[in-house]
Each structure stands twice: as C-alpha cells, then as structure tokens.
Short mmCIF file of all heavy atoms in Angstrom, two decimals:
data_model
loop_
_atom_site.label_atom_id
_atom_site.label_comp_id
_atom_site.label_asym_id
_atom_site.label_seq_id
_atom_site.Cartn_x
_atom_site.Cartn_y
_atom_site.Cartn_z
N ARG A 106 36.92 13.10 4.35
CA ARG A 106 36.47 12.60 5.66
C ARG A 106 36.81 13.59 6.76
O ARG A 106 36.01 13.86 7.64
CB ARG A 106 37.11 11.24 5.96
CG ARG A 106 36.59 10.64 7.26
CD ARG A 106 37.17 9.25 7.49
NE ARG A 106 36.52 8.58 8.58
CZ ARG A 106 36.84 8.75 9.87
NH1 ARG A 106 37.78 9.58 10.20
NH2 ARG A 106 36.20 8.09 10.81
N LEU A 107 38.02 14.15 6.71
CA LEU A 107 38.41 15.15 7.70
C LEU A 107 37.51 16.38 7.63
O LEU A 107 37.12 16.93 8.66
CB LEU A 107 39.87 15.56 7.50
CG LEU A 107 40.92 14.56 7.94
CD1 LEU A 107 42.31 15.03 7.53
CD2 LEU A 107 40.86 14.34 9.44
N ALA A 108 37.18 16.81 6.42
CA ALA A 108 36.32 17.99 6.26
C ALA A 108 34.92 17.72 6.82
O ALA A 108 34.33 18.58 7.48
CB ALA A 108 36.25 18.37 4.79
N ILE A 109 34.41 16.52 6.58
CA ILE A 109 33.07 16.17 7.08
C ILE A 109 33.07 16.08 8.60
O ILE A 109 32.13 16.51 9.26
CB ILE A 109 32.60 14.84 6.44
CG1 ILE A 109 32.34 15.04 4.95
CG2 ILE A 109 31.37 14.31 7.15
CD1 ILE A 109 32.15 13.75 4.18
N ARG A 110 34.12 15.52 9.18
CA ARG A 110 34.18 15.29 10.63
C ARG A 110 34.75 16.48 11.41
O ARG A 110 34.88 16.41 12.62
CB ARG A 110 35.04 14.05 10.93
CG ARG A 110 34.56 12.75 10.34
CD ARG A 110 33.36 12.14 11.03
NE ARG A 110 33.41 12.05 12.46
CZ ARG A 110 33.90 11.03 13.16
NH1 ARG A 110 34.40 9.99 12.55
NH2 ARG A 110 33.87 11.05 14.47
N GLU A 111 35.08 17.57 10.73
CA GLU A 111 35.68 18.72 11.40
C GLU A 111 34.80 19.24 12.54
O GLU A 111 35.30 19.62 13.60
CB GLU A 111 35.94 19.84 10.39
CG GLU A 111 36.54 21.07 11.00
CD GLU A 111 36.72 22.20 10.00
OE1 GLU A 111 36.16 22.13 8.89
OE2 GLU A 111 37.41 23.15 10.35
N LYS A 112 33.50 19.25 12.35
CA LYS A 112 32.57 19.73 13.38
C LYS A 112 32.67 18.91 14.66
O LYS A 112 32.41 19.42 15.74
CB LYS A 112 31.13 19.70 12.86
CG LYS A 112 30.85 20.69 11.78
CD LYS A 112 30.39 21.98 12.38
CE LYS A 112 29.95 22.93 11.28
NZ LYS A 112 30.08 24.29 11.70
N ASP A 113 33.03 17.63 14.54
CA ASP A 113 33.16 16.78 15.72
C ASP A 113 34.25 17.28 16.67
O ASP A 113 34.23 16.97 17.85
CB ASP A 113 33.49 15.34 15.32
CG ASP A 113 32.37 14.67 14.56
OD1 ASP A 113 31.24 15.20 14.55
OD2 ASP A 113 32.62 13.61 13.97
N TRP A 114 35.20 18.04 16.15
CA TRP A 114 36.35 18.47 16.94
C TRP A 114 36.23 19.90 17.42
O TRP A 114 37.20 20.47 17.91
CB TRP A 114 37.62 18.31 16.10
CG TRP A 114 37.91 16.87 15.82
CD1 TRP A 114 37.43 16.12 14.79
CD2 TRP A 114 38.72 16.00 16.60
NE1 TRP A 114 37.89 14.83 14.87
CE2 TRP A 114 38.70 14.73 15.98
CE3 TRP A 114 39.48 16.15 17.76
CZ2 TRP A 114 39.38 13.64 16.49
CZ3 TRP A 114 40.18 15.07 18.25
CH2 TRP A 114 40.12 13.83 17.62
N GLU A 115 35.03 20.50 17.33
CA GLU A 115 34.86 21.89 17.75
C GLU A 115 35.15 22.10 19.23
O GLU A 115 35.78 23.08 19.61
CB GLU A 115 33.43 22.35 17.45
CG GLU A 115 33.21 22.77 16.04
CD GLU A 115 31.82 23.32 15.82
OE1 GLU A 115 31.02 23.43 16.77
OE2 GLU A 115 31.53 23.64 14.66
N ASN A 116 34.67 21.19 20.06
CA ASN A 116 34.87 21.32 21.51
C ASN A 116 34.72 19.94 22.13
O ASN A 116 34.32 18.99 21.45
CB ASN A 116 33.89 22.34 22.11
CG ASN A 116 32.44 21.98 21.87
OD1 ASN A 116 32.00 20.89 22.22
ND2 ASN A 116 31.69 22.90 21.26
N PRO A 117 35.04 19.81 23.40
CA PRO A 117 34.96 18.48 24.03
C PRO A 117 33.56 17.84 23.98
O PRO A 117 33.45 16.63 23.86
CB PRO A 117 35.39 18.75 25.47
CG PRO A 117 36.29 19.94 25.38
CD PRO A 117 35.68 20.79 24.29
N MET A 118 32.51 18.66 24.04
CA MET A 118 31.15 18.09 24.01
C MET A 118 30.84 17.51 22.64
O MET A 118 30.31 16.40 22.54
CB MET A 118 30.11 19.15 24.37
CG MET A 118 28.68 18.62 24.34
SD MET A 118 28.37 17.25 25.49
CE MET A 118 27.87 18.17 26.92
N THR A 119 31.16 18.22 21.56
CA THR A 119 30.87 17.68 20.22
C THR A 119 31.70 16.43 19.97
O THR A 119 31.22 15.49 19.33
CB THR A 119 31.14 18.72 19.11
OG1 THR A 119 32.51 19.14 19.18
CG2 THR A 119 30.21 19.92 19.23
N LEU A 120 32.91 16.40 20.50
CA LEU A 120 33.74 15.22 20.36
C LEU A 120 33.15 14.04 21.13
O LEU A 120 33.11 12.90 20.63
CB LEU A 120 35.16 15.51 20.85
CG LEU A 120 36.19 14.42 20.64
CD1 LEU A 120 36.32 14.06 19.17
CD2 LEU A 120 37.54 14.86 21.19
N ALA A 121 32.64 14.30 22.33
CA ALA A 121 32.02 13.24 23.13
C ALA A 121 30.75 12.70 22.47
O ALA A 121 30.53 11.49 22.43
CB ALA A 121 31.71 13.75 24.54
N VAL A 122 29.94 13.60 21.93
CA VAL A 122 28.72 13.17 21.23
C VAL A 122 29.08 12.32 20.02
O VAL A 122 28.49 11.25 19.79
CB VAL A 122 27.86 14.39 20.81
CG1 VAL A 122 26.73 13.97 19.88
CG2 VAL A 122 27.30 15.09 22.04
N ALA A 123 30.06 12.77 19.25
CA ALA A 123 30.50 12.00 18.08
C ALA A 123 31.03 10.64 18.50
O ALA A 123 30.79 9.64 17.82
CB ALA A 123 31.56 12.77 17.31
N GLY A 124 31.72 10.60 19.62
CA GLY A 124 32.26 9.33 20.12
C GLY A 124 31.17 8.33 20.43
O GLY A 124 31.30 7.14 20.12
N THR A 125 30.06 8.79 21.02
CA THR A 125 28.97 7.86 21.33
C THR A 125 28.32 7.31 20.06
O THR A 125 27.78 6.22 20.09
CB THR A 125 27.89 8.52 22.21
OG1 THR A 125 27.29 9.62 21.51
CG2 THR A 125 28.44 8.97 23.54
N LYS A 126 28.42 8.07 18.98
CA LYS A 126 27.85 7.60 17.71
C LYS A 126 28.79 6.64 16.99
O LYS A 126 28.35 5.67 16.38
CB LYS A 126 27.52 8.79 16.81
CG LYS A 126 26.38 9.64 17.34
CD LYS A 126 26.16 10.86 16.49
CE LYS A 126 25.07 11.73 17.10
NZ LYS A 126 24.93 13.02 16.41
N THR A 127 30.09 6.93 17.05
CA THR A 127 31.05 6.10 16.32
C THR A 127 31.50 4.87 17.11
O THR A 127 31.91 3.88 16.51
CB THR A 127 32.29 6.91 15.89
OG1 THR A 127 32.91 7.46 17.05
CG2 THR A 127 31.91 8.02 14.93
N SER A 128 31.42 4.95 18.44
CA SER A 128 31.83 3.82 19.29
C SER A 128 30.77 3.60 20.38
O SER A 128 31.05 3.78 21.57
CB SER A 128 33.19 4.08 19.93
OG SER A 128 34.18 4.19 18.97
N PRO A 129 29.57 3.22 19.99
CA PRO A 129 28.48 3.12 20.98
C PRO A 129 28.65 2.01 22.01
O PRO A 129 27.94 1.98 23.00
CB PRO A 129 27.24 2.88 20.12
CG PRO A 129 27.77 2.25 18.87
CD PRO A 129 29.13 2.85 18.65
N LEU A 130 29.61 1.12 21.82
CA LEU A 130 29.82 0.04 22.78
C LEU A 130 31.09 0.23 23.62
O LEU A 130 31.59 -0.72 24.20
CB LEU A 130 29.86 -1.31 22.05
CG LEU A 130 28.56 -1.69 21.36
CD1 LEU A 130 28.72 -3.02 20.62
CD2 LEU A 130 27.41 -1.78 22.35
N SER A 131 31.55 1.47 23.70
CA SER A 131 32.73 1.78 24.51
C SER A 131 32.30 2.42 25.82
O SER A 131 31.75 3.53 25.82
CB SER A 131 33.67 2.72 23.75
OG SER A 131 34.66 3.21 24.63
N ASN A 132 32.56 1.74 26.93
CA ASN A 132 32.19 2.32 28.22
C ASN A 132 32.99 3.59 28.49
O ASN A 132 32.48 4.52 29.12
CB ASN A 132 32.36 1.29 29.35
CG ASN A 132 33.79 0.99 29.69
OD1 ASN A 132 34.44 1.76 30.38
ND2 ASN A 132 34.30 -0.13 29.23
N LYS A 133 34.21 3.67 28.02
CA LYS A 133 35.04 4.86 28.25
C LYS A 133 34.48 6.07 27.50
O LYS A 133 34.50 7.18 28.01
CB LYS A 133 36.48 4.59 27.85
CG LYS A 133 37.15 3.61 28.78
CD LYS A 133 38.57 3.31 28.38
CE LYS A 133 39.16 2.28 29.33
NZ LYS A 133 40.54 1.96 29.00
N ILE A 134 33.98 5.84 26.30
CA ILE A 134 33.37 6.93 25.53
C ILE A 134 32.14 7.45 26.26
O ILE A 134 31.93 8.66 26.39
CB ILE A 134 32.99 6.45 24.11
CG1 ILE A 134 34.25 6.13 23.29
CG2 ILE A 134 32.09 7.45 23.40
CD1 ILE A 134 35.07 7.32 22.86
N TRP A 135 31.29 6.55 26.76
CA TRP A 135 30.08 6.97 27.47
C TRP A 135 30.42 7.69 28.77
O TRP A 135 29.76 8.66 29.15
CB TRP A 135 29.16 5.77 27.72
CG TRP A 135 28.39 5.43 26.49
CD1 TRP A 135 28.68 4.45 25.59
CD2 TRP A 135 27.22 6.09 25.99
NE1 TRP A 135 27.76 4.46 24.56
CE2 TRP A 135 26.86 5.46 24.78
CE3 TRP A 135 26.45 7.16 26.45
CZ2 TRP A 135 25.75 5.86 24.04
CZ3 TRP A 135 25.35 7.55 25.71
CH2 TRP A 135 25.01 6.91 24.52
N ASN A 136 31.47 7.24 29.46
CA ASN A 136 31.89 7.93 30.68
C ASN A 136 32.39 9.33 30.35
O ASN A 136 32.08 10.28 31.06
CB ASN A 136 32.95 7.13 31.43
CG ASN A 136 33.28 7.77 32.74
OD1 ASN A 136 32.44 7.89 33.62
ND2 ASN A 136 34.52 8.20 32.89
N ASN A 137 33.16 9.46 29.27
CA ASN A 137 33.63 10.78 28.86
C ASN A 137 32.46 11.68 28.51
O ASN A 137 32.44 12.86 28.88
CB ASN A 137 34.58 10.66 27.65
CG ASN A 137 35.10 12.02 27.22
OD1 ASN A 137 35.63 12.78 28.01
ND2 ASN A 137 34.91 12.33 25.96
N TYR A 138 31.48 11.14 27.83
CA TYR A 138 30.28 11.90 27.51
C TYR A 138 29.59 12.36 28.79
O TYR A 138 29.15 13.52 28.90
CB TYR A 138 29.36 11.03 26.65
CG TYR A 138 28.06 11.67 26.22
CD1 TYR A 138 28.01 12.96 25.68
CD2 TYR A 138 26.86 10.98 26.34
CE1 TYR A 138 26.82 13.53 25.27
CE2 TYR A 138 25.66 11.54 25.93
CZ TYR A 138 25.65 12.82 25.40
OH TYR A 138 24.47 13.38 24.99
N ALA A 139 29.53 11.49 29.79
CA ALA A 139 28.93 11.84 31.08
C ALA A 139 29.66 13.01 31.73
O ALA A 139 29.04 13.94 32.26
CB ALA A 139 28.92 10.63 32.02
N VAL A 140 30.98 12.98 31.68
CA VAL A 140 31.78 14.06 32.26
C VAL A 140 31.47 15.39 31.56
O VAL A 140 31.31 16.43 32.21
CB VAL A 140 33.28 13.72 32.19
CG1 VAL A 140 34.15 14.92 32.55
CG2 VAL A 140 33.61 12.53 33.08
N GLN A 141 31.35 15.34 30.24
CA GLN A 141 31.02 16.56 29.50
C GLN A 141 29.62 17.06 29.85
O GLN A 141 29.41 18.26 30.02
CB GLN A 141 31.15 16.32 27.99
CG GLN A 141 32.54 15.98 27.52
CD GLN A 141 33.58 16.98 27.97
OE1 GLN A 141 33.37 18.20 27.89
NE2 GLN A 141 34.69 16.49 28.48
N LEU A 142 28.67 16.14 29.96
CA LEU A 142 27.31 16.53 30.34
C LEU A 142 27.29 17.16 31.72
O LEU A 142 26.64 18.20 31.93
CB LEU A 142 26.38 15.31 30.30
CG LEU A 142 26.01 14.79 28.92
CD1 LEU A 142 25.38 13.40 29.02
CD2 LEU A 142 25.07 15.76 28.22
N ALA A 143 27.97 16.55 32.67
CA ALA A 143 28.02 17.08 34.03
C ALA A 143 28.65 18.46 34.05
O ALA A 143 28.17 19.37 34.74
CB ALA A 143 28.77 16.12 34.95
N GLY A 144 29.71 18.63 33.27
CA GLY A 144 30.37 19.93 33.18
C GLY A 144 29.46 21.02 32.62
O GLY A 144 29.61 22.19 32.95
N ALA A 145 28.50 20.60 31.81
CA ALA A 145 27.54 21.55 31.24
C ALA A 145 26.31 21.71 32.14
O ALA A 145 25.36 22.40 31.76
CB ALA A 145 27.12 21.08 29.85
N GLY A 146 26.33 21.06 33.30
CA GLY A 146 25.22 21.20 34.24
C GLY A 146 24.07 20.23 34.01
O GLY A 146 23.02 20.37 34.62
#
C-alpha cells in the first residue's frame, strides 16, 4: 500500500489531489486543495 501510494506524497499538490479522492466529503481537504491550486496560479 505504501509503495502504491508513494506518488501521493511527491509534493503538496499531489497530496491534496489524493486527499480529495480518498476523503471527498472533507471540507478541510477541499480547502487545502484550493490553497494548493491558488498557489499554482
């Protein structure tokens, strides 16, 4: 499982994207994803 999910931990954006997939009903995960998106312009 760790080997498969290693890509999720490459950077904050991949972690945020993975979070929206694994916890799609978490407002905090979506807000974190928004912060990463904004940081990327």
